[in-house]
Amino acid sequence: MQPIQIAVVPVTPFQQNCSILWCTATMKGAVIDPGGDLDRIRAAVAETGITVEKILLTHGHMDHAAGAAELAEALNVPIEGPNEADQFLLDGLVAAAAKFDMAGARPVTPDRYLKEGDTVSVGQVVLDVLDVPGHTPGHVVFHHKDSHVAIVGDTLFRGSVGRTDFPYGDHALLISGIVGKLLPLGDQTVCLPGHGAVTSIGDERANNAFLADAV
């Protein structure tokens, strides 16, 4: 049996890939990026039969984080991540969500900020934390070495990369992070992005035009 399993629940009008990741040995898990549609997330959690012990955030955008405070309160669990550099986005979640008529958003103050070199435990499973800014200043990626799986948020997509056309976005920094931190994870590493289909480091190294000049 694999040490982790992951269920994906697309949420919000942006079809953001909220992930439920759990340790198969303990049936303890984490909800990653609960941006909204909490009834759907809680139904999916119930279907897995796991006990949620924390919420993890890759970054502070509303489609990833707007439901985190309410879910954490309902489940009585802590929120870990993202990097503290995204706190301004977490503070502005209500206003950001209102622009898209997304109800229920609440500001978030994580119980624990994360940074490069930190680890996060889920049951007996340990995830490594990587700082990959550019889409947002405080974006983090979660990597499980033994399973060759990375939860990459909005850094890397199948055939694309995260948007950087925000006042705080930095395309060169994002590409540098992908090349310097994600590609070295190895071609076999499966990447679960914040939107769209699952991909792999190998597929993106070979086919992603945004990386063509950098690899």
Side-chain angles (χ1 to χ4, degrees), residues 32-184:
I32 305 175
D33 288 354
D37 296 326
L38 298 187
D39 288 347
R40 296 184 62 204
I41 295 172
R42 296 187 73 173
V45 168
E47 190 172 328
T48 67
I50 67 167
T51 299
V52 175
E53 60 179 8
K54 62 185 61 176
I55 291 168
L56 301 177
L57 297 178
T58 62
H59 65 292
H61 280 160
M62 60 184 171
D63 51 328
H64 293 255
E70 182 179 342
L71 186 62
E73 184 177 279
L75 299 178
N76 193 29
V77 298
I79 299 171
E80 300 186 11
N83 186 292
E84 190 173 6
D86 266 13
Q87 185 59 54
F88 75 102
L89 292 169
L90 299 173
D91 290 338
L93 285 170
V94 174
K99 294 178 182 176
F100 295 92
D101 295 322
M102 286 174 54
R106 285 168 50 180
V108 173
T109 301
D111 296 277
R112 178 192 178 199
Y113 295 111
L114 298 174
K115 63 183 185 303
E116 182 89 16
D118 284 345
T119 60
V120 170
S121 63
V122 181
Q124 296 175 0
V125 167
V126 176
L127 306 176
D128 294 317
V129 176
L130 304 173
D131 281 326
V132 187
H135 178 65
T136 69
H139 199 301
V140 298
V141 165
F142 301 105
H143 178 229
H144 187 241
K145 271 185 229 175
D146 294 346
S147 299
H148 305 293
V149 171
I151 310 294
V152 298
D154 287 358
T155 59
L156 182 65
F157 301 105
R158 177 177 285 184
S160 190
V161 297
R163 286 179 58 186
T164 55
D165 57 340
F166 309 108
Y168 48 80
D170 188 326
H171 182 76
L173 184 62
L174 176 61
I175 298 300
S176 174
I178 293 170
V179 172
K181 297 181 181 181
L182 299 188
L183 297 191

Side-chain angles (χ1 to χ4, degrees), residues 190-207:
V190 174
C191 298
L192 180 56
H195 307 266
V198 171
T199 187
S200 71
I201 293 297
D203 284 347
E204 298 315 307
R205 189 195 306 275
N207 301 313

